[in-house]
Amino acid sequence: AAAELAASQEASLYLVGGLVRDCLLDKTPKDADLVITANAIRFGQDLLQGTSYKTTLHHRFGNLSADINGFKLDITTARSEVYPAPGKLPEVGAGDIKADLFRRDFKINAMAISLSQQNSGCLVDPYDGLTDLKQGKLSVLHPKSFQDDPSRIWRALRYSERLGFDISAETLALLKRDMQLIPLIGADRLRYEIECVLEEAKPENIFLKAEETGVLRYSLPGVKADGWLVGKFAEARKIYGTCIPRVIYYCLLSARLNKLQAENLVTGLNPGKYITGCLGDYRYLAENLPELEKTGLRPSHLYKILVKCRKEARQSFYIASDNPLVRQNISLFEEELSNIKPHLKGADLIALGFTPGPAIQTILRELLFLKLDGQLTSRADEID
Ligand code: ATP
């Protein structure tokens, strides 16, 4: 139907990018990108007419995305791009498939499969991505590639790790030449790339590559990727499995930063309210380390320190800590103290004659602290 529709609009239609690469590598693709030499929004709307798939239109780049039962389909108009300055978004012009493939990040991502009726299934590979794919090599299409878009540097590290490909010597030299431009892409684009890294099976290996090349220094100043980080990321995955919340990784990345570096990490990535809150909680825990290292703390005291933090901050602090006493205190809170509640509720206190208002909360908190410290064991104790 897509090929017929494209023909009726006198346009050529192609599958491009990751899907072509993954199919040639016999891997399952994550999403599908189509390029059409016509208005993609009109084509996409005609193609999906009568279906209930959710679509999103992006007018700036003239493309349409659809969610096909969890599989993402992107339809874009074939275009050429000119970058006005390093790190800036490109100016977009009309282009054929060859120009469209030339704007892509790596040769292995710059191949297309025609879906047009006259040459359906033919590979379009003007930049010889197939040779790179066969040799397990990653290379850019032209020497200005990383200057045009420094976010491609992180993409290079990510694909190299995911596919087990080597970055070609020329591309590696360009990457090192241009990595100082990474800050120009701004917080939102850098965060997007870092979060793509965090979605990979073993993000720590990508951070190691970033450390080794120097990319990490220009992206997340102060963050260290080494044996410690590798061990902690792996431990976190043992606890959470593959559904590990990315905030845990964020906290582990920030674990060895000083206050100023941690603040710069937040400014540099702008990770949203929840993650920023967790990173703040993590720092608060670090400041309370001398207390958390103690044994025999009064339970209500431990409770007061830990209850203020989001759970993920506590759990990351647990993982990051190499001190068994800290771990013991956090486990005590998670497994026991956080489940303890006074028998009496606000309504009981009102029934006992207390005036409704903030004082009720204060009394309930005091009851809780006494109960945590073992000074109240029954409802009758609490009423007394
Ligand atoms: P993944 O499996 O990670 O989704 P993908 O190749 O599908 O891999 P996307 O980020 O979905 O990656 O991008 C789709 C295609 O768009 C890429 O294959 C590449 O051709 C192109 N592309 C994406 N980002 C860039 C970029 N920053 N510069 C140039 N081309 C890019």
Side-chain angles (χ1 to χ4, degrees), residues 46-85:
D46 290 348
L47 183 66
L48 299 170
Q49 198 179 31
T51 68
S52 56
Y53 301 128
K54 188 174 172 296
T55 57
T56 316
L57 309 181
H58 308 276
H59 288 283
R60 184 174 193 277
F61 290 115
N63 65 323
L64 172 148
S65 314
D67 183 338
I68 315 276
N69 302 325
F71 191 81
K72 193 165 156 260
L73 173 70
D74 251 325
I75 308 175
T76 314
T77 303
R79 64 178 192 247
S80 61
E81 287 180 348
V82 176
Y83 285 82

Side-chain angles (χ1 to χ4, degrees), residues 22-23 28 39 50 104 134 143 148 234 259 263 290 359:
D22 288 341
C23 287
T28 313
N39 183 319
R104 290 170 188 272
K134 283 184 187 151
D148 284 347
K259 190 163 184 281
E263 281 165 12

Side-chain angles (χ1 to χ4, degrees), residues 9 48 110 148 166 284 317 361:
Q9 297 184 1
L48 299 170
D148 284 347
D166 288 327
Y284 157 85
F317 202 76
Q361 285 311 318

Side-chain angles (χ1 to χ4, degrees), residues 8 69 97 193 220 236 277 354:
S8 76
N69 302 325
I97 187 66
E193 292 304 330
L220 311 174
F354 288 94

Side-chain angles (χ1 to χ4, degrees), residues 118-159:
Q118 66 276 21
N119 53 3
S120 182
C122 285
L123 184 70
V124 182
D125 184 15
Y127 309 108
D128 201 13
L130 200 54
T131 301
D132 271 13
L133 209 64
K134 283 184 187 151
Q135 294 180 355
K137 206 169 81 180
L138 201 63
S139 47
V140 285
L141 281 94
H142 57 86
K144 259 183 88 246
S145 185
F146 292 132
Q147 290 177 359
D148 284 347
D149 180 356
S151 75
R152 292 173 185 162
I153 290 177
W154 274 99
R155 296 177 67 83
L157 302 179
R158 182 156 60 88
Y159 287 121

